[in-house]
Coordinates of all heavy atoms in Angstrom, one line a residue:
I14 N 115.4 -87.5 -57.3 CA 115.9 -88.5 -56.3 C 115.2 -88.5 -55.0 O 114.8 -89.6 -54.5 CB 117.5 -88.3 -56.1 CG1 118.2 -88.5 -57.4 CG2 117.9 -89.2 -55.0 CD1 119.7 -88.2 -57.3
V15 N 114.9 -87.3 -54.5 CA 114.1 -87.2 -53.3 C 112.7 -87.8 -53.4 O 112.2 -88.5 -52.6 CB 114.0 -85.7 -52.8 CG1 113.0 -85.6 -51.7 CG2 115.4 -85.2 -52.4
G16 N 112.1 -87.4 -54.6 CA 110.7 -88.0 -54.8 C 110.7 -89.5 -54.9 O 109.8 -90.1 -54.3
M17 N 111.7 -90.0 -55.6 CA 111.7 -91.5 -55.7 C 112.0 -92.1 -54.3 O 111.4 -93.2 -54.0 CB 112.8 -91.9 -56.7 CG 112.5 -91.5 -58.1 SD 111.0 -92.4 -58.7 CE 111.6 -94.1 -58.7
S18 N 112.8 -91.4 -53.5 CA 113.1 -92.0 -52.2 C 111.9 -92.0 -51.3 O 111.6 -92.9 -50.6 CB 114.3 -91.2 -51.5 OG 115.4 -91.2 -52.3
L19 N 111.1 -90.9 -51.4 CA 109.9 -90.8 -50.5 C 108.9 -91.8 -51.0 O 108.3 -92.5 -50.2 CB 109.3 -89.4 -50.6 CG 110.0 -88.3 -49.9 CD1 109.4 -86.9 -50.2 CD2 110.0 -88.6 -48.4
S20 N 108.8 -92.0 -52.3 CA 107.9 -93.0 -52.8 C 108.2 -94.4 -52.4 O 107.5 -95.2 -52.0 CB 107.8 -92.9 -54.3 OG 107.3 -91.7 -54.8
A21 N 109.6 -94.6 -52.4 CA 110.1 -95.9 -52.0 C 109.8 -96.1 -50.5 O 109.5 -97.3 -50.1 CB 111.6 -96.1 -52.3
F22 N 110.0 -95.1 -49.7 CA 109.8 -95.2 -48.3 C 108.3 -95.5 -48.0 O 108.0 -96.3 -47.1 CB 110.2 -93.9 -47.6 CG 110.0 -93.9 -46.1 CD1 110.8 -94.6 -45.2 CD2 108.9 -93.2 -45.6 CE1 110.5 -94.6 -43.9 CE2 108.7 -93.2 -44.3 CZ 109.5 -93.9 -43.4
V23 N 107.4 -94.7 -48.7 CA 106.0 -95.0 -48.5 C 105.6 -96.4 -48.9 O 104.9 -97.1 -48.2 CB 105.2 -93.9 -49.2 CG1 103.7 -94.3 -49.2 CG2 105.4 -92.5 -48.7
L24 N 106.2 -96.8 -50.0 CA 105.9 -98.2 -50.5 C 106.4 -99.2 -49.4 O 105.7 -100.2 -49.1 CB 106.5 -98.4 -51.8 CG 106.3 -99.8 -52.4 CD1 104.8 -100.1 -52.6 CD2 107.1 -100.0 -53.8
L25 N 107.6 -98.9 -49.0 CA 108.2 -99.8 -47.9 C 107.4 -99.8 -46.7 O 107.1 -100.9 -46.1 CB 109.6 -99.4 -47.7 CG 110.4 -100.2 -46.6 CD1 110.5 -101.7 -47.1 CD2 111.7 -99.6 -46.3
L26 N 106.8 -98.6 -46.3 CA 106.1 -98.5 -45.1 C 104.7 -99.3 -45.3 O 104.3 -100.0 -44.4 CB 105.8 -97.0 -44.8 CG 105.0 -96.8 -43.5 CD1 105.8 -97.2 -42.3 CD2 104.7 -95.3 -43.4
V27 N 104.1 -99.1 -46.5 CA 102.9 -99.9 -46.7 C 103.2 -101.4 -46.7 O 102.4 -102.2 -46.1 CB 102.3 -99.5 -48.1 CG1 101.2 -100.4 -48.5 CG2 101.9 -98.0 -48.1
L28 N 104.3 -101.8 -47.3 CA 104.6 -103.2 -47.3 C 104.9 -103.7 -45.9 O 104.5 -104.8 -45.5 CB 105.9 -103.5 -48.2 CG 105.7 -103.3 -49.7 CD1 107.0 -103.4 -50.4 CD2 104.7 -104.3 -50.2
V29 N 105.5 -102.8 -45.1 CA 105.8 -103.2 -43.7 C 104.5 -103.4 -42.9 O 104.2 -104.4 -42.2 CB 106.7 -102.2 -43.0 CG1 106.7 -102.4 -41.4 CG2 108.1 -102.3 -43.5
V30 N 103.5 -102.4 -43.2 CA 102.3 -102.5 -42.5 C 101.5 -103.7 -42.9 O 100.8 -104.4 -42.1 CB 101.4 -101.2 -42.8 CG1 100.0 -101.3 -42.3 CG2 102.1 -100.0 -42.1
L31 N 101.5 -104.0 -44.3 CA 100.8 -105.1 -44.8 C 101.4 -106.4 -44.3 O 100.6 -107.4 -44.1 CB 100.7 -105.1 -46.3 CG 99.8 -103.9 -46.9 CD1 100.0 -103.9 -48.4 CD2 98.4 -104.0 -46.5
F32 N 102.6 -106.5 -44.3 CA 103.3 -107.8 -44.0 C 104.0 -107.9 -42.7 O 104.7 -108.9 -42.5 CB 104.2 -108.1 -45.2 CG 103.5 -108.2 -46.5 CD1 103.6 -107.2 -47.4 CD2 102.8 -109.4 -46.8 CE1 102.9 -107.3 -48.6 CE2 102.1 -109.5 -48.0 CZ 102.2 -108.4 -48.9
F33 N 103.9 -106.8 -41.9 CA 104.6 -106.9 -40.6 C 104.1 -108.0 -39.7 O 102.9 -108.2 -39.6 CB 104.5 -105.5 -39.9 CG 105.2 -105.5 -38.6 CD1 106.6 -105.2 -38.7 CD2 104.6 -105.7 -37.4 CE1 107.3 -105.1 -37.5 CE2 105.4 -105.6 -36.2 CZ 106.7 -105.3 -36.2
P34 N 105.0 -108.7 -39.1 CA 104.6 -109.8 -38.3 C 104.1 -109.3 -36.9 O 104.8 -109.4 -35.9 CB 105.8 -110.7 -38.2 CG 106.9 -109.7 -38.3 CD 106.4 -108.7 -39.3
W35 N 102.9 -108.8 -36.9 CA 102.4 -108.2 -35.7 C 102.4 -109.1 -34.5 O 102.5 -108.7 -33.3 CB 100.9 -107.7 -35.9 CG 100.9 -106.5 -36.9 CD1 100.5 -106.6 -38.2 CD2 101.2 -105.2 -36.6 NE1 100.6 -105.4 -38.8 CE2 101.0 -104.5 -37.8 CE3 101.7 -104.5 -35.5 CZ2 101.3 -103.1 -37.9 CZ3 101.9 -103.1 -35.6 CH2 101.7 -102.4 -36.8
D36 N 102.2 -110.4 -34.7 CA 102.1 -111.3 -33.6 C 103.4 -111.4 -32.8 O 103.4 -111.8 -31.6 CB 101.8 -112.7 -34.2 CG 101.4 -113.7 -33.0 OD1 100.5 -113.3 -32.3 OD2 102.0 -114.8 -32.9
T37 N 104.6 -110.9 -33.4 CA 105.8 -110.9 -32.6 C 105.7 -109.8 -31.5 O 106.5 -109.9 -30.6 CB 107.0 -110.5 -33.6 OG1 106.8 -109.3 -34.2 CG2 107.1 -111.6 -34.7
L38 N 104.8 -108.9 -31.6 CA 104.6 -107.9 -30.6 C 103.7 -108.4 -29.5 O 103.4 -107.6 -28.5 CB 104.1 -106.6 -31.2 CG 105.0 -105.9 -32.2 CD1 104.3 -104.7 -32.7 CD2 106.3 -105.6 -31.7
R39 N 103.1 -109.6 -29.6 CA 102.1 -110.0 -28.7 C 102.7 -110.0 -27.2 O 102.0 -109.4 -26.3 CB 101.6 -111.4 -29.1 CG 100.6 -112.0 -28.1 CD 99.8 -113.1 -28.8 NE 100.6 -114.1 -29.4 CZ 101.0 -115.2 -28.9 NH1 100.6 -115.5 -27.7 NH2 101.8 -116.1 -29.6
E40 N 103.8 -110.6 -27.0 CA 104.3 -110.7 -25.6 C 104.7 -109.3 -25.1 O 104.4 -108.9 -24.0 CB 105.5 -111.6 -25.6 CG 105.1 -113.1 -25.7 CD 104.1 -113.5 -24.7 OE1 104.2 -113.0 -23.5 OE2 103.2 -114.3 -25.0
P41 N 105.4 -108.4 -25.9 CA 105.7 -107.0 -25.4 C 104.4 -106.3 -25.1 O 104.3 -105.5 -24.1 CB 106.4 -106.4 -26.6 CG 107.0 -107.6 -27.3 CD 106.1 -108.7 -27.2
V42 N 103.3 -106.5 -25.9 CA 102.1 -105.8 -25.7 C 101.5 -106.3 -24.4 O 101.0 -105.5 -23.5 CB 101.1 -106.0 -26.8 CG1 99.7 -105.5 -26.4 CG2 101.5 -105.2 -28.0
N43 N 101.5 -107.6 -24.1 CA 101.0 -108.2 -22.9 C 101.7 -107.6 -21.7 O 101.0 -107.2 -20.7 CB 101.2 -109.7 -22.9 CG 100.3 -110.4 -23.9 OD1 99.3 -109.9 -24.4 ND2 100.6 -111.7 -24.2
R44 N 103.0 -107.5 -21.8 CA 103.8 -107.0 -20.6 C 103.5 -105.5 -20.4 O 103.3 -105.0 -19.3 CB 105.3 -107.1 -20.8 CG 105.7 -108.6 -20.7 CD 107.2 -108.7 -20.6 NE 107.9 -108.2 -21.8 CZ 108.2 -108.9 -22.9 NH1 107.9 -110.2 -22.9 NH2 108.8 -108.4 -23.9
Y45 N 103.4 -104.7 -21.5 CA 103.2 -103.3 -21.4 C 101.8 -103.0 -20.8 O 101.7 -102.1 -19.9 CB 103.3 -102.7 -22.8 CG 103.0 -101.2 -22.8 CD1 104.0 -100.3 -22.5 CD2 101.8 -100.7 -23.2 CE1 103.8 -98.9 -22.5 CE2 101.5 -99.3 -23.2 CZ 102.5 -98.4 -22.8 OH 102.3 -97.1 -22.8
V46 N 100.8 -103.6 -21.3 CA 99.4 -103.3 -20.8 C 99.3 -103.8 -19.3 O 98.7 -103.1 -18.5 CB 98.3 -104.0 -21.7 CG1 97.0 -103.8 -21.1 CG2 98.4 -103.5 -23.1
S47 N 99.9 -104.9 -19.0 CA 99.8 -105.4 -17.6 C 100.5 -104.4 -16.7 O 100.1 -104.2 -15.6 CB 100.5 -106.8 -17.5 OG 99.8 -107.7 -18.3
E48 N 101.7 -103.9 -17.1 CA 102.4 -102.9 -16.3 C 101.6 -101.6 -16.1 O 101.6 -101.1 -15.0 CB 103.8 -102.6 -16.9 CG 104.6 -101.7 -16.1 CD 105.9 -101.3 -16.8 OE1 106.3 -102.0 -17.8 OE2 106.6 -100.4 -16.4
K49 N 101.1 -101.1 -17.2 CA 100.3 -99.8 -17.1 C 99.1 -99.9 -16.3 O 98.6 -99.0 -15.7 CB 100.0 -99.4 -18.5 CG 101.2 -98.8 -19.3 CD 101.8 -97.6 -18.6 CE 102.9 -97.0 -19.4 NZ 103.5 -95.8 -18.7
T50 N 98.4 -101.1 -16.3 CA 97.1 -101.2 -15.7 C 97.2 -101.8 -14.3 O 96.2 -101.8 -13.5 CB 96.1 -102.0 -16.5 OG1 96.7 -103.3 -16.7 CG2 95.9 -101.4 -17.8
G51 N 98.3 -102.5 -14.0 CA 98.5 -103.1 -12.7 C 97.7 -104.4 -12.6 O 97.5 -104.9 -11.5
R52 N 97.3 -105.0 -13.7 CA 96.6 -106.3 -13.7 C 97.0 -107.1 -14.9 O 97.3 -106.5 -15.9 CB 95.1 -106.2 -13.5 CG 94.5 -105.0 -14.3 CD 93.1 -104.8 -14.0 NE 92.6 -103.5 -14.2 CZ 91.4 -103.2 -14.7 NH1 90.5 -104.1 -14.9 NH2 91.0 -101.9 -14.8
K53 N 96.8 -108.3 -14.9 CA 97.3 -109.2 -15.9 C 96.5 -109.0 -17.2 O 95.2 -109.1 -17.2 CB 97.2 -110.7 -15.5 CG 97.8 -111.6 -16.6 CD 97.7 -113.1 -16.1 CE 98.3 -114.0 -17.2 NZ 98.2 -115.4 -16.8
F54 N 97.2 -108.8 -18.3 CA 96.5 -108.7 -19.7 C 97.3 -109.7 -20.5 O 98.5 -109.7 -20.6 CB 96.7 -107.3 -20.2 CG 96.2 -107.2 -21.6 CD1 94.8 -107.0 -21.9 CD2 97.1 -107.3 -22.7 CE1 94.4 -106.9 -23.2 CE2 96.6 -107.2 -24.0 CZ 95.3 -107.0 -24.3
E55 N 96.5 -110.5 -21.3 CA 97.2 -111.5 -22.2 C 96.4 -111.8 -23.4 O 95.2 -112.0 -23.3 CB 97.4 -112.8 -21.4 CG 98.2 -113.9 -22.2 CD 98.5 -115.1 -21.4 OE1 98.0 -115.3 -20.3 OE2 99.2 -116.0 -21.9
I56 N 97.1 -111.7 -24.5 CA 96.6 -112.2 -25.8 C 97.0 -113.6 -25.9 O 98.2 -113.8 -26.1 CB 97.1 -111.3 -27.0 CG1 96.7 -109.8 -26.8 CG2 96.5 -111.8 -28.3 CD1 97.4 -108.9 -27.8
T57 N 96.1 -114.5 -25.8 CA 96.5 -115.9 -25.6 C 97.0 -116.7 -26.8 O 97.8 -117.6 -26.7 CB 95.4 -116.7 -25.0 OG1 94.3 -116.7 -25.8 CG2 95.0 -116.1 -23.6
R58 N 96.5 -116.3 -28.1 CA 97.0 -117.1 -29.2 C 97.6 -116.2 -30.3 O 98.7 -116.5 -30.8 CB 95.7 -117.8 -29.8 CG 95.2 -118.9 -28.9 CD 94.2 -119.8 -29.6 NE 92.9 -119.0 -29.7 CZ 92.0 -119.0 -28.8 NH1 92.2 -119.6 -27.6 NH2 90.9 -118.3 -29.0
R59 N 97.0 -115.2 -30.8 CA 97.5 -114.4 -31.9 C 97.1 -113.0 -31.9 O 96.0 -112.6 -31.5 CB 97.1 -115.1 -33.3 CG 97.7 -114.4 -34.5 CD 97.3 -115.2 -35.8 NE 97.8 -114.5 -36.9 CZ 99.1 -114.5 -37.4 NH1 100.0 -115.2 -36.7 NH2 99.5 -113.8 -38.5
L60 N 98.0 -112.1 -32.4 CA 97.7 -110.7 -32.6 C 97.9 -110.3 -34.0 O 98.9 -110.6 -34.7 CB 98.7 -109.9 -31.7 CG 98.8 -108.3 -31.9 CD1 97.4 -107.7 -31.5 CD2 99.9 -107.7 -31.1
D61 N 96.9 -109.5 -34.5 CA 97.0 -109.0 -35.9 C 96.5 -107.5 -35.9 O 95.6 -107.2 -35.0 CB 96.3 -109.8 -36.9 CG 96.7 -109.6 -38.3 OD1 97.7 -108.8 -38.5 OD2 96.1 -110.1 -39.2
V62 N 97.0 -106.7 -36.8 CA 96.6 -105.3 -36.8 C 96.3 -104.9 -38.3 O 97.2 -105.2 -39.2 CB 97.6 -104.4 -36.2 CG1 97.2 -102.9 -36.3 CG2 97.9 -104.8 -34.7
D63 N 95.2 -104.2 -38.5 CA 95.0 -103.5 -39.8 C 95.1 -102.0 -39.5 O 94.3 -101.5 -38.8 CB 93.6 -103.8 -40.3 CG 93.4 -105.2 -40.8 OD1 94.4 -105.9 -41.1 OD2 92.3 -105.7 -40.8
L64 N 96.2 -101.4 -40.0 CA 96.6 -100.1 -39.6 C 96.2 -99.1 -40.7 O 96.3 -99.3 -41.9 CB 98.1 -100.0 -39.5 CG 98.7 -98.7 -38.8 CD1 98.1 -98.6 -37.4 CD2 100.2 -98.8 -38.8
G65 N 95.5 -98.0 -40.3 CA 95.1 -97.0 -41.2 C 95.7 -95.6 -40.7 O 96.4 -95.6 -39.8
W66 N 95.3 -94.6 -41.5 CA 95.9 -93.3 -41.1 C 95.3 -92.7 -39.8 O 96.0 -92.0 -39.1 CB 95.7 -92.3 -42.3 CG 96.5 -92.6 -43.5 CD1 96.0 -93.0 -44.7 CD2 97.9 -92.4 -43.6 NE1 97.1 -93.2 -45.5 CE2 98.2 -92.8 -44.9 CE3 98.9 -92.0 -42.7 CZ2 99.6 -92.8 -45.4 CZ3 100.2 -91.9 -43.2 CH2 100.5 -92.4 -44.5
R67 N 94.0 -92.9 -39.6 CA 93.4 -92.3 -38.5 C 93.0 -93.4 -37.4 O 92.8 -93.0 -36.2 CB 92.1 -91.7 -38.9 CG 92.3 -90.5 -39.9 CD 91.0 -89.9 -40.3 NE 90.2 -89.4 -39.2 CZ 89.0 -88.9 -39.3 NH1 88.4 -88.9 -40.4 NH2 88.4 -88.4 -38.2
S68 N 92.9 -94.6 -37.8 CA 92.6 -95.7 -36.8 C 93.2 -97.0 -37.2 O 93.7 -97.1 -38.3 CB 91.1 -95.8 -36.7 OG 90.5 -96.2 -37.9
A69 N 93.1 -97.9 -36.2 CA 93.7 -99.2 -36.5 C 92.6 -100.2 -35.9 O 92.0 -100.0 -34.9 CB 95.0 -99.4 -35.8
T70 N 92.5 -101.3 -36.6 CA 91.7 -102.5 -36.2 C 92.6 -103.5 -35.6 O 93.4 -104.1 -36.3 CB 90.8 -103.0 -37.3 OG1 90.0 -102.0 -37.8 CG2 90.0 -104.2 -36.8
I71 N 92.5 -103.8 -34.3 CA 93.3 -104.7 -33.6 C 92.5 -106.0 -33.4 O 91.5 -106.0 -32.9 CB 93.8 -104.2 -32.2 CG1 94.5 -102.8 -32.4 CG2 94.7 -105.2 -31.5 CD1 94.8 -102.1 -31.1
K72 N 93.1 -107.1 -34.0 CA 92.4 -108.4 -33.9 C 93.1 -109.3 -32.9 O 94.3 -109.5 -33.1 CB 92.4 -109.0 -35.3 CG 91.7 -108.2 -36.4 CD 91.8 -108.8 -37.7 CE 91.1 -108.0 -38.8 NZ 91.1 -108.5 -40.1
L73 N 92.4 -109.8 -31.9 CA 92.9 -110.6 -30.9 C 92.3 -111.9 -30.9 O 91.1 -112.1 -30.7 CB 92.7 -109.9 -29.5 CG 93.0 -108.4 -29.4 CD1 92.5 -107.8 -28.1 CD2 94.5 -108.2 -29.6
D74 N 93.1 -112.9 -31.1 CA 92.6 -114.3 -31.1 C 92.9 -114.9 -29.7 O 94.0 -115.3 -29.4 CB 93.4 -115.2 -32.1 CG 92.8 -116.5 -32.2 OD1 91.7 -116.8 -31.6 OD2 93.4 -117.4 -32.9
G75 N 91.9 -114.8 -28.8 CA 92.0 -115.1 -27.4 C 92.5 -114.0 -26.6 O 93.5 -113.4 -26.9
I76 N 91.7 -113.6 -25.6 CA 92.1 -112.4 -24.8 C 91.7 -112.7 -23.4 O 90.5 -113.2 -23.1 CB 91.5 -111.1 -25.3 CG1 91.9 -110.0 -24.3 CG2 90.0 -111.2 -25.4 CD1 91.4 -108.6 -24.8
E77 N 92.5 -112.4 -22.4 CA 92.2 -112.4 -21.0 C 92.7 -111.2 -20.3 O 93.9 -110.9 -20.3 CB 92.9 -113.7 -20.3 CG 92.4 -115.0 -20.8 CD 93.0 -116.2 -20.2 OE1 93.9 -115.9 -19.3 OE2 92.7 -117.3 -20.5
F78 N 91.8 -110.4 -19.7 CA 92.2 -109.2 -19.0 C 91.6 -109.2 -17.7 O 90.4 -109.2 -17.5 CB 91.6 -108.0 -19.9 CG 92.1 -106.6 -19.4 CD1 93.2 -106.5 -18.5 CD2 91.6 -105.5 -19.9 CE1 93.7 -105.3 -18.1 CE2 92.1 -104.2 -19.5 CZ 93.1 -104.1 -18.6
A79 N 92.4 -109.3 -16.6 CA 92.0 -109.5 -15.3 C 91.4 -108.3 -14.7 O 91.6 -107.2 -15.1 CB 93.2 -109.9 -14.4
N80 N 90.5 -108.5 -13.7 CA 90.0 -107.4 -12.9 C 90.9 -107.0 -11.8 O 91.8 -107.7 -11.4 CB 88.6 -107.9 -12.3 CG 87.4 -107.4 -13.1 OD1 87.5 -106.3 -13.7 ND2 86.4 -108.2 -13.2
P81 N 90.7 -105.8 -11.2 CA 91.5 -105.4 -10.0 C 91.2 -106.5 -8.9 O 90.2 -107.2 -8.9 CB 90.9 -104.1 -9.6 CG 90.3 -103.5 -10.9 CD 89.8 -104.7 -11.6
S82 N 92.1 -106.5 -8.0 CA 92.1 -107.5 -6.9 C 90.9 -107.3 -6.0 O 90.4 -108.3 -5.4 CB 93.4 -107.4 -6.0 OG 93.5 -106.1 -5.5
W83 N 90.3 -106.1 -6.0 CA 89.1 -105.9 -5.1 C 87.8 -106.4 -5.7 O 86.8 -106.4 -5.1 CB 89.0 -104.5 -4.7 CG 89.0 -103.5 -5.9 CD1 90.1 -102.8 -6.3 CD2 88.0 -103.1 -6.7 NE1 89.8 -102.0 -7.4 CE2 88.5 -102.2 -7.6 CE3 86.6 -103.4 -6.8 CZ2 87.7 -101.6 -8.7 CZ3 85.8 -102.9 -7.8 CH2 86.4 -102.0 -8.7
A84 N 87.8 -106.7 -7.0 CA 86.6 -107.1 -7.7 C 86.2 -108.5 -7.4 O 87.0 -109.4 -7.0 CB 86.8 -106.9 -9.2
R85 N 84.9 -108.8 -7.5 CA 84.4 -110.1 -7.3 C 84.7 -111.1 -8.4 O 85.2 -112.2 -8.2 CB 82.8 -110.1 -7.2 CG 82.2 -111.4 -7.0 CD 80.7 -111.3 -6.9 NE 80.1 -110.8 -8.2 CZ 78.8 -110.6 -8.4 NH1 77.9 -110.7 -7.4 NH2 78.3 -110.2 -9.5
D86 N 84.6 -110.7 -9.7 CA 84.8 -111.6 -10.8 C 86.3 -111.5 -11.2 O 86.9 -110.4 -11.2 CB 84.0 -111.2 -12.0 CG 82.5 -111.4 -11.7 OD1 82.2 -112.3 -11.0 OD2 81.7 -110.6 -12.2
P87 N 86.9 -112.6 -11.5 CA 88.4 -112.6 -11.8 C 88.7 -111.8 -13.1 O 89.8 -111.3 -13.2 CB 88.7 -114.1 -12.0 CG 87.4 -114.7 -12.3 CD 86.4 -114.0 -11.6
Y88 N 87.8 -111.8 -14.1 CA 88.1 -111.1 -15.4 C 87.2 -110.0 -15.7 O 86.0 -110.0 -15.5 CB 88.0 -112.2 -16.5 CG 89.1 -113.3 -16.5 CD1 88.7 -114.5 -16.0 CD2 90.4 -113.1 -16.9 CE1 89.6 -115.6 -15.9 CE2 91.3 -114.1 -16.8 CZ 91.0 -115.3 -16.4 OH 91.9 -116.3 -16.3
L89 N 87.9 -108.9 -16.2 CA 87.1 -107.8 -16.8 C 86.5 -108.3 -18.1 O 85.3 -108.1 -18.4 CB 88.0 -106.6 -17.1 CG 87.3 -105.5 -17.9 CD1 86.1 -104.9 -17.2 CD2 88.4 -104.4 -18.2
V90 N 87.4 -109.0 -18.9 CA 86.9 -109.6 -20.1 C 87.8 -110.8 -20.4 O 89.0 -110.8 -20.3 CB 86.9 -108.6 -21.3 CG1 88.3 -108.1 -21.6 CG2 86.3 -109.3 -22.6
K91 N 87.1 -111.9 -20.8 CA 87.8 -113.1 -21.3 C 87.0 -113.6 -22.5 O 85.7 -113.8 -22.4 CB 87.8 -114.2 -20.2 CG 88.5 -115.4 -20.6 CD 88.5 -116.4 -19.5 CE 89.3 -117.7 -19.9 NZ 89.3 -118.7 -18.8
A92 N 87.6 -113.7 -23.7 CA 86.8 -113.9 -24.9 C 87.7 -114.8 -25.9 O 88.9 -114.8 -25.8 CB 86.4 -112.7 -25.6

Side-chain angles (χ1 to χ4, degrees):
I14 294 173
V15 171
M17 290 298 294
S18 298
L19 287 174
S20 298
F22 177 76
V23 171
L24 178 61
L25 179 62
L26 184 62
V27 171
L28 292 174
V29 168
V30 170
L31 291 176
F32 298 103
F33 183 81
W35 293 101
D36 193 52
T37 60
L38 298 178
R39 178 158 51 95
E40 290 303 324
V42 169
N43 289 345
R44 289 194 298 271
Y45 177 81
V46 175
S47 297
E48 179 183 347
K49 287 295 183 181
T50 60
R52 40 186 154 147
K53 184 180 178 181
F54 175 85
E55 184 176 4
I56 304 168
T57 58
R58 290 189 291 274
R59 182 174 177 78
L60 168 66
D61 198 5
V62 178
D63 291 338
L64 192 62
W66 290 108
R67 301 178 59 186
S68 64
T70 299
I71 304 171
K72 300 177 180 179
L73 310 172
D74 189 8
I76 178 176
E77 296 180 359
F78 192 7
N80 261 325
S82 58
W83 50 263
R85 178 183 65 181
D86 296 325
Y88 292 103
L89 171 64
V90 58
K91 181 178 181 181

